[in-house]
Amino acid sequence: MDSQAGGKLVGVLADPVVGMAPWIIFSVLVGPGRFELSVVLALAVSVLLVVANRVVRRDASLKLLEVADVVFFAALTAVGLAASAGTRRWLETYAGEVSNIALVLIAFGSMALRMPFTLQYARERVDRAYWHSPDFLRTNYVITGVWGLAFLVAAVAGGYGDLVLRDPDNLWTGWIIQIAAIIAAVRFTAWYPGVVRARVRRERGTGQGA
């Protein structure tokens, strides 16, 4: 792998959206008749991300989200393999909401522990001199919070479709609202740091921001 391609791959792996890929895949795909496919794909991507990070950057830190990815989807796979027919039906209906709520807890839990999960990714893309700046830290709290809210919206929408409408594959609650929430979070993650950097430059007159 040449240095330019390696640099691009490092940049991709340092993107928190990539770290959330297993959750996004599972949240979007899971439903009646699709549990096995969804959980196996999510677990495979989780393991692939951990391996890729170690291969591309041997000094890369093991991230909270990477560990949560592998542990959660490995556990869900094991439960699915041992589940009875009734439990399997329950998983096909509600596992999407369970995963969405799990990521909400990870997002807000990491903020409560003063280590928003996007911070580990952001530190791989920003000079060490800015790691402890208030603007940099605040940016990651905001982005992590937005992801928590996005998956909370997805969980509420999916729960409404499952429990109230009794229709796990409802177009709006099962697909459109959930996908729209995730897309909004992806776009916010790409947009917000630039806004903060521009504001910091205006305030300081020079230099890099968050």
Side-chain angles (χ1 to χ4, degrees):
M1 181 184 297
D2 60 46
S3 58
Q4 184 177 4
K8 289 182 178 179
L9 185 55
V10 168
V12 169
L13 294 172
D15 189 333
V17 175
V18 174
M20 280 175 282
W23 303 86
I24 295 171
I25 290 169
F26 188 75
S27 177
V28 171
L29 291 183
V30 72
R34 299 189 301 274
F35 174 78
E36 293 88 349
L37 172 64
S38 304
V39 74
V40 168
L41 278 177
L43 179 59
V45 173
S46 300
V47 173
L48 178 62
L49 290 177
V50 171
V51 172
N53 267 304
R54 303 291 84 73
V55 171
V56 174
R57 289 189 58 182
R58 297 184 184 278
D59 61 337
S61 60
L62 188 62
K63 300 177 181 67
L64 168 66
L65 192 58
E66 289 178 345
V67 174
D69 290 351
V70 174
V71 170
F72 180 83
F73 291 111
L76 203 58
T77 299
V79 170
L81 289 173
S84 64
T87 301
R88 184 73 59 84
R89 285 192 297 271
W90 189 93
L91 288 170
E92 289 180 345
T93 302
Y94 298 109
E97 283 69 67
V98 171
S99 70
N100 288 333
I101 292 170
L103 192 57
V104 171
L105 294 176
I106 291 169
F108 292 116
S110 69
M111 292 169 67
L113 294 173
R114 299 185 179 181
M115 181 58 72
F117 70 74
T118 61
L119 190 60
Q120 291 176 297
Y121 293 91
R123 282 177 173 173
E124 294 184 353
R125 307 175 76 178
V126 173
D127 190 281
R128 184 181 291 269
Y130 299 101
W131 284 12
H132 300 290
S133 75
D135 293 300
F136 178 69
L137 295 173
R138 189 180 306 112
T139 297
N140 281 281
Y141 274 100
V142 171
I143 292 175
T144 299
V146 166
W147 275 103
L149 290 174
F151 277 90
L152 180 60
V153 169
V156 171
Y160 184 83
D162 294 341
L163 298 170
V164 178
L165 301 180
R166 301 290 181 181
D167 181 9
D169 266 336
N170 180 273
L171 179 62
W172 282 96
T173 60
W175 297 91
I176 293 177
I177 294 175
Q178 296 193 44
I179 292 174
I182 291 170
I183 290 174
V186 169
R187 297 191 66 174
F188 185 87
T189 300
W191 169 79
Y192 186 66
V195 172
V196 175
R197 284 193 292 268
R199 177 177 58 78
V200 170
R201 289 193 184 102
R202 286 196 302 269
E203 292 175 352
R204 298 179 182 175
T206 186
Q208 288 182 315

